[in-house]
Amino acid sequence: MGSLKTTIGKLEFTNPSILASGIMDETGLSMARVLDSGAGAVVSKSIGTKANLGHVNPCFLEVTSGYINSMGLPNPGIDAYKKEMEMAIIKGKVIGSIYGASAQEFVELAGKMEDFGACAIELNLSCPHAKGYGIEVGTDPKIVKDIVVAVKSSIKIPVWAKLTPNTHILSDIGRAVENGGGDAVVAINTLKAMVIEPEFAKPVLSNKIGGLSGNAIKPVGVRAVYDLRESISIPIIGTGGISNYRDALEYIMAGASAFQIGSAIFNDGPEIFRKICGGISKFMKRYGYDSIESMVGIAHE
Ligand code: SIN
């Protein structure tokens, strides 16, 4: 039977399924549960330098084929998150997601995540609804490169950058990560979105704008990974709307060495990791693939 092992730079994962940042990752216990459910790794909640309450409700909506959130990066702050990291890493690999307004903030956060035991850092350069953060720093190739260079020179663990689809220069941003020495890119974060309640003639979310995730965005994510594969040589981790093994295979064949799952957990629970990996294994056996690597990017051939 084919192996589900995959490597991203110098990191080896038992399988390519990873928990995406923002779902079931506020506490060490919930991350541990996801690792126990078969995920190859988990990404933490995006953590900043100080505690942040996020946006007031309503900040989460279900829409056709997806969800819109405007959580506003709620988190307890890096120092309070230490115990959650320590609890989760007993069970497996944890990637520390961080957000900042400047290279200096990213450096401080990355250093602490490394000290807490993270196996890699995921730079959140893509949250579409937090003022001063996310896409406000992640859509300028120069700022992106400066952040990656600064973080890379301050820690030893690999640095991944999570990119936004809310730009027409995604490939330039990917190249900025690569030129800055980044070890991988993660694509995509949510798409900017809005819902209006006709009866009230107002946007429903308190923040008005949120980020769309779920099945609706999968073709956008697959296209983004495909484009990045043509533009950069560092590994790509695909994410956006994966809810079954076929979705995951689309990302792999577009060029992803691993994939992240987020919104689908609302319906299927953490058992989805084992289910999707089982589906990939059966597919590999049936179609004669002996490794994940042998399928990565084959849609380009
Ligand atoms: C959030 O917690 O606000 C969502 C994070 C993101 O969209 O990157």
Side-chain angles (χ1 to χ4, degrees):
M1 188 151 104
S3 163
L4 285 185
K5 274 192 193 148
T6 192
T7 55
I8 298 170
K10 63 182 183 190
L11 288 178
E12 185 169 293
F13 297 87
T14 50
N15 73 66
S17 71
I18 300 175
L19 175 71
S21 180
I23 320 265
M24 282 194 76
D25 53 9
E26 274 164 35
T27 70
L29 282 178
S30 60
M31 289 189 277
R33 178 156 173 228
V34 173
L35 287 163
D36 276 345
S37 303
V42 298
V43 184
S44 76
K45 178 84 194 143
S46 288
I47 304 295
T49 53
K50 301 246 153 48
N52 174 28
L53 287 173
H55 294 135
V56 296
N57 281 324
C59 56
F60 188 84
L61 295 170
E62 186 165 2
V63 293
T64 311
S65 297
Y67 302 93
I68 301 183
N69 89 80
S70 63
M71 304 304 291
L73 297 165
N75 76 96
I78 190 73
D79 294 328
Y81 201 68
K82 178 174 192 262
K83 63 180 189 310
E84 313 301 341
M85 290 293 291
E86 287 172 350
M87 221 178 284
I89 58 175
I90 295 168
K91 295 286 183 174
K93 287 195 164 69
V94 183
I95 295 113
S97 171
I98 55 174
Y99 71 90
S102 64
Q104 197 40 52
E105 277 187 21
F106 277 102
V107 166
E108 177 192 333
L109 292 160
K112 289 192 176 175
M113 278 292 192
E114 182 176 44
D115 291 346
F116 300 165
C119 69
I121 296 296
E122 183 177 284
L123 306 172
N124 183 340
L125 302 173
S126 45
C127 177
H129 49 70
K131 201 153 174 40
Y133 300 105
I135 59 172
E136 291 192 18
V137 292
T139 47
D140 179 328
K142 182 177 174 337
I143 298 177
V144 167
K145 185 175 170 195
D146 288 350
I147 292 170
V148 174
V149 167
V151 175
K152 274 299 289 181
S153 65
S154 68
I155 56 173
K156 291 197 176 64
I157 55 176
V159 176
W160 303 356
K162 186 166 182 181
L163 307 185
T164 179
N166 301 296
T167 173
H168 63 286
I169 55 164
L170 179 66
S171 296
D172 293 342
I173 308 284
R175 278 190 284 269
V177 175
E178 181 166 45
N179 294 336
D183 298 278
V185 295
V186 181
I188 55 175
N189 204 323
T190 55
L191 273 81
K192 267 186 153 184
M194 176 184 277
V195 171
I196 290 175
E197 186 79 70
E199 286 75 11
F200 295 106
K202 281 192 183 341
V204 178
L205 296 168
S206 69
N207 184 58
K208 300 190 176 87
I209 305 277
L212 177 65
S213 63
N215 295 139
I217 74 166
K218 190 199 68 188
V220 180
V222 171
R223 188 273 307 160
V225 168
Y226 192 95
D227 281 354
L228 284 164
R229 173 80 174 184
E230 307 247 314
S231 320
I232 57 176
S233 305
I234 53 176
I236 303 165
I237 297 110
T239 183
I242 296 175
S243 63
N244 58 51
Y245 78 91
R246 295 179 64 85
D247 296 338
L249 286 166
E250 281 194 60
Y251 274 99
I252 291 170
M253 291 180 179
S257 301
F259 54 87
Q260 296 183 356
I261 300 174
S263 296
I265 294 171
F266 290 120
N267 276 331
D268 295 334
E271 291 70 33
I272 192 167
F273 292 93
R274 210 159 267 140
K275 204 162 115 192
I276 287 184
C277 288
I280 294 174
S281 272
K282 283 197 190 126
F283 176 89
M284 287 167 66
K285 191 167 171 212
R286 179 154 185 209
Y287 289 93
Y289 295 105
D290 60 3
S291 64
I292 295 294
E293 179 58 30
S294 66
M295 298 190 289
V296 173
I298 56 170
H300 294 255
E301 286 164 13

